[in-house]
CSV table of all heavy atoms in Angstrom, one decimal:
chain,number,residue,atom,x,y,z
A,1,GLY,N,105.5,-136.0,237.2
A,1,GLY,CA,105.6,-135.2,238.4
A,1,GLY,C,104.3,-134.8,239.1
A,1,GLY,O,104.2,-133.8,239.7
A,2,ALA,N,103.3,-135.7,239.0
A,2,ALA,CA,102.0,-135.4,239.5
A,2,ALA,C,101.9,-135.4,241.0
A,2,ALA,O,100.9,-134.8,241.6
A,2,ALA,CB,101.0,-136.4,239.0
A,3,SER,N,102.9,-136.0,241.7
A,3,SER,CA,102.9,-136.0,243.2
A,3,SER,C,101.5,-136.6,243.7
A,3,SER,O,101.2,-137.7,243.2
A,3,SER,CB,103.0,-134.6,243.8
A,3,SER,OG,103.1,-134.6,245.2
A,4,THR,N,100.8,-136.0,244.5
A,4,THR,CA,99.6,-136.5,245.0
A,4,THR,C,98.4,-136.4,244.0
A,4,THR,O,97.4,-137.1,244.2
A,4,THR,CB,99.1,-135.8,246.3
A,4,THR,OG1,98.9,-134.4,246.0
A,4,THR,CG2,100.1,-136.0,247.4
A,5,GLY,N,98.6,-135.6,243.0
A,5,GLY,CA,97.6,-135.4,242.0
A,5,GLY,C,96.6,-134.3,242.4
A,5,GLY,O,95.6,-134.2,241.7
A,6,ASN,N,96.8,-133.6,243.4
A,6,ASN,CA,95.9,-132.6,243.9
A,6,ASN,C,96.0,-131.3,243.0
A,6,ASN,O,97.1,-131.0,242.5
A,6,ASN,CB,96.2,-132.2,245.3
A,6,ASN,CG,95.8,-133.4,246.3
A,6,ASN,OD1,95.0,-134.3,245.9
A,6,ASN,ND2,96.4,-133.4,247.4
A,7,TYR,N,94.9,-130.5,243.0
A,7,TYR,CA,95.0,-129.3,242.3
A,7,TYR,C,96.0,-128.3,242.8
A,7,TYR,O,96.6,-127.5,242.1
A,7,TYR,CB,93.6,-128.7,242.3
A,7,TYR,CG,93.5,-127.3,241.5
A,7,TYR,CD1,93.4,-127.3,240.1
A,7,TYR,CD2,93.5,-126.1,242.2
A,7,TYR,CE1,93.4,-126.2,239.4
A,7,TYR,CE2,93.4,-124.9,241.5
A,7,TYR,CZ,93.3,-124.9,240.1
A,7,TYR,OH,93.3,-123.8,239.4
A,8,GLU,N,96.2,-128.3,244.1
A,8,GLU,CA,97.1,-127.5,244.8
A,8,GLU,C,98.5,-127.6,244.2
A,8,GLU,O,99.3,-126.6,244.1
A,8,GLU,CB,97.2,-127.8,246.3
A,8,GLU,CG,98.2,-127.0,247.1
A,8,GLU,CD,98.4,-127.5,248.5
A,8,GLU,OE1,98.1,-128.7,248.8
A,8,GLU,OE2,98.8,-126.7,249.3
A,9,ILE,N,98.9,-128.7,243.7
A,9,ILE,CA,100.2,-129.0,243.1
A,9,ILE,C,100.2,-129.0,241.6
A,9,ILE,O,101.2,-128.6,241.0
A,9,ILE,CB,100.7,-130.4,243.6
A,9,ILE,CG1,100.7,-130.5,245.1
A,9,ILE,CG2,102.1,-130.7,243.1
A,9,ILE,CD1,100.9,-131.8,245.7
A,10,ASN,N,99.0,-129.3,241.0
A,10,ASN,CA,98.9,-129.4,239.5
A,10,ASN,C,97.8,-128.5,239.0
A,10,ASN,O,96.6,-128.7,239.3
A,10,ASN,CB,98.6,-130.8,239.1
A,10,ASN,CG,99.7,-131.8,239.6
A,10,ASN,OD1,100.7,-132.0,239.0
A,10,ASN,ND2,99.5,-132.4,240.8
A,11,ALA,N,98.2,-127.5,238.2
A,11,ALA,CA,97.2,-126.5,237.7
A,11,ALA,C,96.3,-127.2,236.7
A,11,ALA,O,95.1,-126.9,236.7
A,11,ALA,CB,97.9,-125.4,237.0
A,12,GLU,N,96.8,-128.1,235.9
A,12,GLU,CA,96.0,-128.9,235.0
A,12,GLU,C,95.5,-130.1,235.7
A,12,GLU,O,96.0,-131.2,235.6
A,12,GLU,CB,96.8,-129.3,233.8
A,12,GLU,CG,97.3,-128.1,233.0
A,12,GLU,CD,96.2,-127.3,232.4
A,12,GLU,OE1,95.1,-127.9,232.0
A,12,GLU,OE2,96.4,-126.1,232.2
A,13,TYR,N,94.4,-129.9,236.4
A,13,TYR,CA,93.9,-131.0,237.4
A,13,TYR,C,93.0,-132.1,236.8
A,13,TYR,O,93.1,-133.2,237.2
A,13,TYR,CB,93.1,-130.3,238.5
A,13,TYR,CG,92.6,-131.2,239.5
A,13,TYR,CD1,93.4,-132.0,240.3
A,13,TYR,CD2,91.2,-131.4,239.7
A,13,TYR,CE1,92.9,-132.9,241.3
A,13,TYR,CE2,90.7,-132.2,240.7
A,13,TYR,CZ,91.6,-133.0,241.4
A,13,TYR,OH,91.1,-133.9,242.4
A,14,ALA,N,92.2,-131.7,235.8
A,14,ALA,CA,91.2,-132.7,235.3
A,14,ALA,C,91.7,-134.0,235.0
A,14,ALA,O,91.2,-135.0,235.4
A,14,ALA,CB,90.5,-132.1,234.1
A,15,PRO,N,92.8,-134.2,234.2
A,15,PRO,CA,93.3,-135.5,233.9
A,15,PRO,C,93.9,-136.3,235.1
A,15,PRO,O,94.1,-137.5,235.0
A,15,PRO,CB,94.5,-135.2,232.9
A,15,PRO,CG,94.2,-133.9,232.4
A,15,PRO,CD,93.6,-133.1,233.5
A,16,LEU,N,94.1,-135.6,236.2
A,16,LEU,CA,94.7,-136.2,237.4
A,16,LEU,C,93.7,-136.8,238.3
A,16,LEU,O,94.1,-137.5,239.3
A,16,LEU,CB,95.5,-135.2,238.1
A,16,LEU,CG,96.8,-134.8,237.4
A,16,LEU,CD1,97.4,-133.5,238.0
A,16,LEU,CD2,97.9,-135.9,237.5
A,17,ARG,N,92.4,-136.6,238.1
A,17,ARG,CA,91.4,-137.1,239.0
A,17,ARG,C,91.5,-138.6,239.3
A,17,ARG,O,91.2,-139.0,240.4
A,17,ARG,CB,90.0,-136.6,238.6
A,17,ARG,CG,89.8,-135.1,238.7
A,17,ARG,CD,88.5,-134.6,238.2
A,17,ARG,NE,88.4,-133.2,238.3
A,17,ARG,CZ,87.5,-132.4,237.6
A,17,ARG,NH1,86.7,-133.0,236.8
A,17,ARG,NH2,87.5,-131.1,237.8
A,18,ARG,N,91.8,-139.3,238.2
A,18,ARG,CA,91.9,-140.8,238.4
A,18,ARG,C,93.2,-141.1,239.0
A,18,ARG,O,93.3,-141.9,240.0
A,18,ARG,CB,91.8,-141.5,237.0
A,18,ARG,CG,90.4,-141.5,236.5
A,18,ARG,CD,90.3,-142.3,235.2
A,18,ARG,NE,90.6,-143.7,235.5
A,18,ARG,CZ,91.1,-144.6,234.6
A,18,ARG,NH1,91.2,-144.2,233.3
A,18,ARG,NH2,91.3,-145.8,234.9
A,19,ALA,N,94.3,-140.5,238.6
A,19,ALA,CA,95.6,-140.8,239.1
A,19,ALA,C,95.7,-140.4,240.6
A,19,ALA,O,96.5,-141.0,241.4
A,19,ALA,CB,96.7,-140.0,238.4
A,20,ALA,N,94.9,-139.4,241.1
A,20,ALA,CA,95.0,-139.0,242.5
A,20,ALA,C,94.5,-140.1,243.4
A,20,ALA,O,94.7,-140.0,244.6
A,20,ALA,CB,94.1,-137.8,242.7
A,21,ARG,N,93.9,-141.1,242.9
A,21,ARG,CA,93.4,-142.3,243.7
A,21,ARG,C,94.6,-143.1,244.2
A,21,ARG,O,94.4,-144.0,245.1
A,21,ARG,CB,92.5,-143.2,242.8
A,21,ARG,CG,91.3,-142.6,242.3
A,21,ARG,CD,90.6,-143.5,241.4
A,21,ARG,NE,89.5,-142.9,240.7
A,21,ARG,CZ,88.7,-143.6,239.7
A,21,ARG,NH1,89.0,-144.8,239.4
A,21,ARG,NH2,87.7,-142.9,239.1
A,22,TRP,N,95.8,-142.8,243.7
A,22,TRP,CA,96.9,-143.7,244.0
A,22,TRP,C,97.2,-143.7,245.5
A,22,TRP,O,97.6,-144.8,246.1
A,22,TRP,CB,98.2,-143.3,243.2
A,22,TRP,CG,98.9,-142.2,243.7
A,22,TRP,CD1,98.8,-140.9,243.3
A,22,TRP,CD2,99.9,-142.2,244.8
A,22,TRP,NE1,99.7,-140.1,244.0
A,22,TRP,CE2,100.4,-140.8,244.9
A,22,TRP,CE3,100.5,-143.1,245.6
A,22,TRP,CZ2,101.3,-140.5,245.9
A,22,TRP,CZ3,101.4,-142.8,246.5
A,22,TRP,CH2,101.8,-141.5,246.7
A,23,VAL,N,97.0,-142.6,246.2
A,23,VAL,CA,97.2,-142.5,247.6
A,23,VAL,C,96.4,-143.5,248.4
A,23,VAL,O,96.9,-144.3,249.2
A,23,VAL,CB,97.1,-141.1,248.2
A,23,VAL,CG1,97.2,-141.1,249.7
A,23,VAL,CG2,98.1,-140.1,247.6
A,24,ASP,N,95.1,-143.5,248.1
A,24,ASP,CA,94.2,-144.5,248.8
A,24,ASP,C,94.6,-145.9,248.4
A,24,ASP,O,94.6,-146.8,249.3
A,24,ASP,CB,92.7,-144.2,248.3
A,24,ASP,CG,92.1,-143.0,249.0
A,24,ASP,OD1,92.6,-142.6,250.1
A,24,ASP,OD2,91.2,-142.4,248.4
A,25,ASP,N,94.9,-146.1,247.1
A,25,ASP,CA,95.2,-147.5,246.7
A,25,ASP,C,96.5,-148.0,247.4
A,25,ASP,O,96.6,-149.1,247.8
A,25,ASP,CB,95.3,-147.6,245.2
A,25,ASP,CG,94.0,-147.5,244.5
A,25,ASP,OD1,92.9,-147.7,245.2
A,25,ASP,OD2,93.9,-147.1,243.3
A,26,CYS,N,97.5,-147.1,247.5
A,26,CYS,CA,98.7,-147.4,248.1
A,26,CYS,C,98.6,-147.7,249.6
A,26,CYS,O,99.1,-148.7,250.1
A,26,CYS,CB,99.7,-146.3,247.9
A,26,CYS,SG,101.4,-146.7,248.5
A,27,CYS,N,97.8,-146.9,250.2
A,27,CYS,CA,97.5,-147.2,251.7
A,27,CYS,C,96.8,-148.6,251.8
A,27,CYS,O,97.1,-149.3,252.8
A,27,CYS,CB,96.6,-146.1,252.3
A,27,CYS,SG,97.5,-144.5,252.5
A,28,TYR,N,95.9,-148.9,251.0
A,28,TYR,CA,95.2,-150.2,251.0
A,28,TYR,C,96.2,-151.3,250.8
A,28,TYR,O,96.2,-152.3,251.6
A,28,TYR,CB,94.1,-150.3,249.9
A,28,TYR,CG,93.4,-151.6,250.0
A,28,TYR,CD1,92.2,-151.7,250.7
A,28,TYR,CD2,93.8,-152.7,249.3
A,28,TYR,CE1,91.5,-152.9,250.8
A,28,TYR,CE2,93.1,-153.9,249.4
A,28,TYR,CZ,92.0,-154.0,250.1
A,28,TYR,OH,91.3,-155.2,250.2
A,29,PHE,N,97.1,-151.1,249.9
A,29,PHE,CA,98.2,-152.2,249.7
A,29,PHE,C,99.1,-152.3,250.9
A,29,PHE,O,99.3,-153.4,251.3
A,29,PHE,CB,99.0,-151.8,248.4
A,29,PHE,CG,100.0,-152.8,248.1
A,29,PHE,CD1,99.7,-154.0,247.4
A,29,PHE,CD2,101.4,-152.5,248.4
A,29,PHE,CE1,100.7,-154.9,247.1
A,29,PHE,CE2,102.4,-153.5,248.1
A,29,PHE,CZ,102.0,-154.7,247.4
A,30,PHE,N,99.5,-151.2,251.4
A,30,PHE,CA,100.4,-151.3,252.6
A,30,PHE,C,99.7,-152.0,253.8
A,30,PHE,O,100.3,-152.7,254.6
A,30,PHE,CB,100.8,-149.9,253.0
A,30,PHE,CG,101.9,-149.3,252.2
A,30,PHE,CD1,102.3,-147.9,252.3
A,30,PHE,CD2,102.5,-150.0,251.1
A,30,PHE,CE1,103.3,-147.4,251.6
A,30,PHE,CE2,103.5,-149.4,250.3
A,30,PHE,CZ,103.9,-148.1,250.6
A,31,ARG,N,98.4,-151.7,253.9
A,31,ARG,CA,97.6,-152.3,255.0
A,31,ARG,C,97.5,-153.8,254.9
A,31,ARG,O,97.1,-154.5,255.9
A,31,ARG,CB,96.3,-151.6,255.2
A,31,ARG,CG,96.4,-150.2,255.8
A,31,ARG,CD,95.0,-149.8,256.3
A,31,ARG,NE,95.3,-148.5,257.1
A,31,ARG,CZ,95.1,-147.3,256.5
A,31,ARG,NH1,94.8,-147.2,255.3
A,31,ARG,NH2,95.3,-146.2,257.3
A,32,LEU,N,97.8,-154.4,253.8
A,32,LEU,CA,97.9,-155.9,253.7
A,32,LEU,C,99.0,-156.4,254.6
A,32,LEU,O,99.0,-157.6,254.9
A,32,LEU,CB,98.2,-156.3,252.2
A,32,LEU,CG,97.1,-155.9,251.2
A,32,LEU,CD1,97.5,-156.3,249.8
A,32,LEU,CD2,95.7,-156.6,251.6
């Protein structure tokens, strides 16, 4: 349930810093 991985949504933010990259990566993939 990490959603965007932002601290606003997830109180335990530190482990999510890598997973939060998914938005940028997904946008890059879509732009193909």
Side-chain angles (χ1 to χ4, degrees):
S3 182
T4 59
N6 294 338
Y7 181 76
E8 178 185 26
I9 304 169
N10 301 273
E12 298 296 327
Y13 178 63
L16 288 164
R17 290 175 182 163
R18 287 186 64 202
R21 301 174 188 176
W22 80 264
V23 175
D24 285 337
D25 289 339
C26 185
C27 289
Y28 183 93
F29 182 78
F30 285 174
R31 286 199 172 93
L32 297 176

